[in-house]
Amino acid sequence: MTKGLSLFEKRRRRNRTTLRARSGLRPRLSVHRSGKHIYAQVIDDKKALTIASASSNEKDGKEAKSWNVAAASNVGKKIAERAKAAGVSQVMFDRGGYIYHGRIKALADAARESGLEF
């Protein structure tokens, strides 16, 4: 069934299924990283609903360079503020198969500093 999948796809699938099994009642903070932008969503898997989202591609507060660590930490702050406004304070961090380093780590640290617990 996993024949033909890349190592990244296998790691993403393994990580996500483990999170869904352990999550309980917590929503999932999912992160997607592209070459120039970084995106974050708080997702409730039970209801299949996106609670809050933020990205470096938004018009408000957009920086000149949106692919660096500073932009990722701004996205982390935005997603934490929007999740708290929606009534979510505890989440499970879904790094989406990406290694916990660089922009992913900066986003997670900024979200923690802004009040999200994971």
Side-chain angles (χ1 to χ4, degrees):
M1 184 153 158
T2 60
K3 190 171 186 176
L5 293 178
S6 66
L7 292 176
F8 178 77
E9 293 292 331
K10 287 180 185 179
R11 185 170 56 235
R12 175 187 289 169
R13 183 177 288 180
R14 182 176 61 241
N15 186 24
R16 190 157 296 158
T17 55
T18 303
L19 283 176
R20 285 184 182 158
R22 293 181 183 173
S23 70
L25 300 174
R26 288 185 178 190
R28 179 169 53 100
L29 174 59
S30 178
V31 176
H32 175 70
R33 176 177 60 99
S34 70
K36 288 190 175 181
H37 299 289
I38 191 159
Y39 308 90
Q41 291 181 335
V42 177
I43 303 167
D44 186 2
D45 287 323
K46 303 287 183 195
K47 298 177 184 175
L49 180 72
T50 300
I51 299 169
S53 65
S55 72
S56 62
N57 198 15
E58 295 175 353
K59 290 185 180 181
D60 59 334
K62 191 171 181 181
E63 296 182 7
K65 291 184 178 179
S66 59
W67 58 85
N68 58 10
V69 174
S73 59
N74 283 341
V75 172
K77 291 175 187 174
K78 284 183 198 175
I79 194 68
E81 291 170 2
R82 293 176 185 173
K84 288 175 72 177
V88 175
S89 61
Q90 294 183 339
V91 295
M92 297 290 288
F93 186 65
D94 179 10
R95 55 189 173 83
Y98 303 106
I99 297 171
Y100 188 80
H101 179 75
R103 292 188 287 162
I104 303 295
K105 183 178 179 183
L107 187 143
D109 290 342
R112 278 193 196 104
E113 289 173 5
S114 296
L116 276 184
E117 296 177 19
F118 53 92

